[in-house]
Amino acid sequence: MGVSDEFDNENDAPLPPHERTWRHPAEVSNAMRRDHALRATPPPIGRRATALVAFVSIVASATLMLVTVQKGVSDPVAEPTETTTTSLPSKTGGAGDVVPAVRAFADFYVVPTSALKGDATEILPLEGNPFDAEVVTTIATKGISIVRDRSTKMPSLPLDAEQFDTPDDAGSFVAVDRTGHRFTVHPGLESGIMSNASSTSGTGNWHPLDVDGIIDGVATLSADNYVYAIAVRHDHMHFGILLADLATIVNDAIAARNG
């Protein structure tokens, strides 16, 4: 029998890798894969190195925030307040509040009754200085009150209602409400042109109005820069009353007070 070599295995069993010189391609591939994995795996980092890396990361993050975030961003930002065309105070009245009003004539002003809160209400006319209000009369059907300055003497003579002109042919008016907003106003279809037909009901002759906006409570109505009437918003509708009719209501209230 001749001399056996690694290709002549007497036991018909595969030789282990260390006893043969050749390698199967799969063995070569596995060896190369293990070798690559060993080289790609970074060496373990000690505890001190890990703590140092974490500390450096925290410091870097804090520095970045200080540089990029603007100063004062964390401060609370005040909510923007509602702006109007004037610098008048709040529209709703309360104890100690100043209530905007419109001047009807002489020393008499018109305000929504709901804005009056007790006897200490201070009135601020659209033009003029504030004053402590005295209620002359209230027209409940339209939700308004006529007030005057309590520091002045109540007139004993009636107002001359005939001094107020009538807009005979005015097709539109300019309304300026108690906050200073301006609107275009047309007489309602049911009333046509405003007339000076005085009412005997004691509450005046009211005319429906067509307004291109929403009046804040009360407003003056003018044409050609002359005030003819007072406009009122009540129950989601707009109405107008001529100054002559309003003067008659004031006269009745003064007469009733003087006895």
Side-chain angles (χ1 to χ4, degrees):
M1 181 179 295
V3 179
S4 63
D5 55 17
E6 58 179 328
F7 297 101
D8 190 11
N9 188 359
E10 298 178 352
N11 299 322
D12 295 330
L15 293 175
H18 66 274
E19 293 184 4
R20 49 187 167 82
T21 59
W22 61 275
R23 292 292 184 267
H24 191 275
E27 292 181 292
V28 176
S29 176
N30 290 336
M32 292 178 65
R33 188 178 297 109
R34 286 194 303 270
D35 201 36
H36 175 74
L38 290 175
R39 286 197 301 268
T41 303
I45 302 176
R47 292 182 178 179
R48 292 184 179 180
T50 302
L52 179 61
V53 171
F55 176 76
V56 172
S57 299
I58 294 173
V59 173
S61 300
T63 304
L64 182 62
M65 290 182 62
L66 291 176
V67 172
T68 58
V69 178
Q70 295 182 0
K71 183 178 180 181
V73 170
S74 61
D75 296 337
V77 179
E79 292 293 332
T81 57
E82 180 183 358
T83 58
T84 61
T85 56
T86 67
S87 57
L88 292 178
S90 173
K91 299 177 183 179
T92 57
D97 290 343
V98 179
V99 178
V102 298
R103 179 178 177 270
F105 41 71
D107 188 31
F108 298 91
Y109 299 81
V110 184
V111 296
T113 305
S114 60
L116 300 177
K117 304 294 182 182
D119 296 332
T121 301
E122 188 176 16
I123 299 298
L124 178 62
L126 194 58
E127 296 179 358
N129 299 321
F131 59 86
D132 291 333
E134 176 187 11
V135 177
V136 178
T137 186
T138 295
I139 305 175
T141 57
K142 292 297 181 286
I144 62 171
S145 293
I146 302 172
V147 300
R148 61 180 298 278
D149 188 348
R150 67 170 62 250
S151 66
T152 60
K153 184 179 179 180
M154 176 78 75
S156 57
L157 296 177
L159 297 169
D160 183 10
E162 296 182 357
Q163 66 176 307
F164 303 107
D165 294 333
T166 302
D168 295 327
D169 56 356
S172 65
F173 300 89
V174 175
V176 180
D177 69 12
R178 64 195 188 117
T179 64
H181 288 107
R182 301 171 68 89
F183 307 92
T184 300
V185 176
H186 301 276
L189 296 177
E190 297 179 3
S191 63
I193 298 176
M194 283 186 172
S195 65
N196 197 17
S198 298
S199 172
T200 59
S201 64
T203 59
N205 190 24
W206 294 88
H207 305 265
L209 301 175
D210 180 16
V211 185
D212 67 351
I214 298 177
I215 290 175
D216 182 7
V218 294
T220 58
L221 290 182
S222 62
D224 298 326
N225 296 322
Y226 185 86
V227 177
Y228 288 100
I230 294 294
V232 175
R233 174 173 171 79
H234 184 64
D235 286 341
H236 309 290
M237 299 179 63
H238 291 97
F239 301 93
I241 184 171
L242 291 170
L243 295 184
D245 284 339
L246 198 63
T248 301
I249 296 174
V250 172
N251 285 337
D252 291 343
I254 294 175
R257 179 173 298 190
N258 294 335

